[in-house]
Amino acid sequence: MDISVREACRSLEAQGALRRRLRGSPDGLVAYVRELLGDQMPADLEALYREGVEAIGDFRAVIPKWNERPERRREGLLRALLPAQAVPIFSDGAGSLYGLDLSSGVASPAVYFFDHEDLFERPRWAAGSSLGHFLLLLGQHDRAIDEGRTPGWERGIDPDIDKCPRAPPIWRAG
């Protein structure tokens, strides 16, 4: 069963793991990103922007800077993963990115980890079978490390994570 971006955000917010931006309407941002991506914007990405997520735990959302005045708009990292057919959604804080797959053409695509050491050429490992599942996994990341969870704990939250077509889950990525 899939979980929507909205449901995942509500759950994370209730846990105190999600911070939101306190800026205006996301309509301009959505239109701007849709234009930059050439109308190739998955519904889940739009839902994430509409939720106004700034960070989950220590992981900051990758959001272009939109402004009504075109000269003040900034793409930031938005195009960093386009050669690998993905759009960045979160930073790991160390130079690598989590990206939403654009190659599948589905409304709820998988999320992958792109390592800066690979120059973002390809996904290193699957981070979530959908954006909703990925958000929940990201919210558990630090706790899983602190608790010393065994490899594959992610399947308890995202039972389809090992079915992502472009890369294996982290415990099989090597």
Side-chain angles (χ1 to χ4, degrees):
M1 183 173 110
D2 203 13
I3 182 165
S4 73
V5 170
R6 183 182 182 114
E7 292 169 323
C9 288
R10 298 294 176 270
S11 176
L12 291 164
E13 194 166 41
Q15 297 168 35
L18 182 140
R19 289 190 312 277
R20 293 182 188 273
R21 297 182 320 276
L22 298 176
R23 296 188 195 117
S25 169
D27 293 339
L29 172 64
V30 168
Y32 178 53
V33 173
R34 189 178 304 283
E35 180 183 320
L36 288 171
L37 295 178
D39 252 356
Q40 187 182 0
M41 186 168 179
D44 275 359
L45 182 60
E46 180 174 341
L48 180 68
Y49 290 154
R50 292 196 180 281
E51 286 295 325
V53 175
E54 180 177 8
I56 296 177
D58 292 331
F59 298 91
R60 295 193 58 82
V62 175
I63 303 165
K65 303 296 183 225
W66 184 83
N67 190 297
E68 288 185 22
R69 295 174 55 181
E71 69 274 10
R72 291 193 177 174
R73 295 177 188 167
R74 301 289 178 262
E75 290 178 21
L77 294 171
L78 188 69
R79 294 184 193 261
L81 300 180
L82 287 182
Q85 295 185 297
V87 62
I89 52 173
F90 280 87
S91 167
D92 75 344
S96 296
L97 299 168
Y98 292 95
L100 190 67
D101 185 29
L102 295 176
S103 70
S104 66
V106 298
S108 187
V111 176
Y112 296 96
F113 178 80
F114 291 83
D115 197 318
H116 69 280
E117 291 182 11
D118 295 336
L119 303 175
F120 306 125
E121 289 181 359
R122 60 176 174 75
R124 174 73 65 95
W125 45 269
S129 65
S130 69
L131 185 50
H133 280 115
F134 164 75
L135 296 172
L136 295 177
L137 290 169
L138 199 60
Q140 289 289 311
H141 182 270
D142 291 341
R143 182 181 292 166
I145 291 170
D146 291 345
E147 294 173 356
R149 294 183 191 168
T150 58
W153 66 266
E154 296 89 347
R155 284 184 290 217
I157 294 172
D158 185 355
D160 293 326
I161 193 167
D162 54 354
K163 297 176 183 161
C164 296
R166 295 185 63 193
I170 189 170
W171 68 90
R172 281 201 260 140

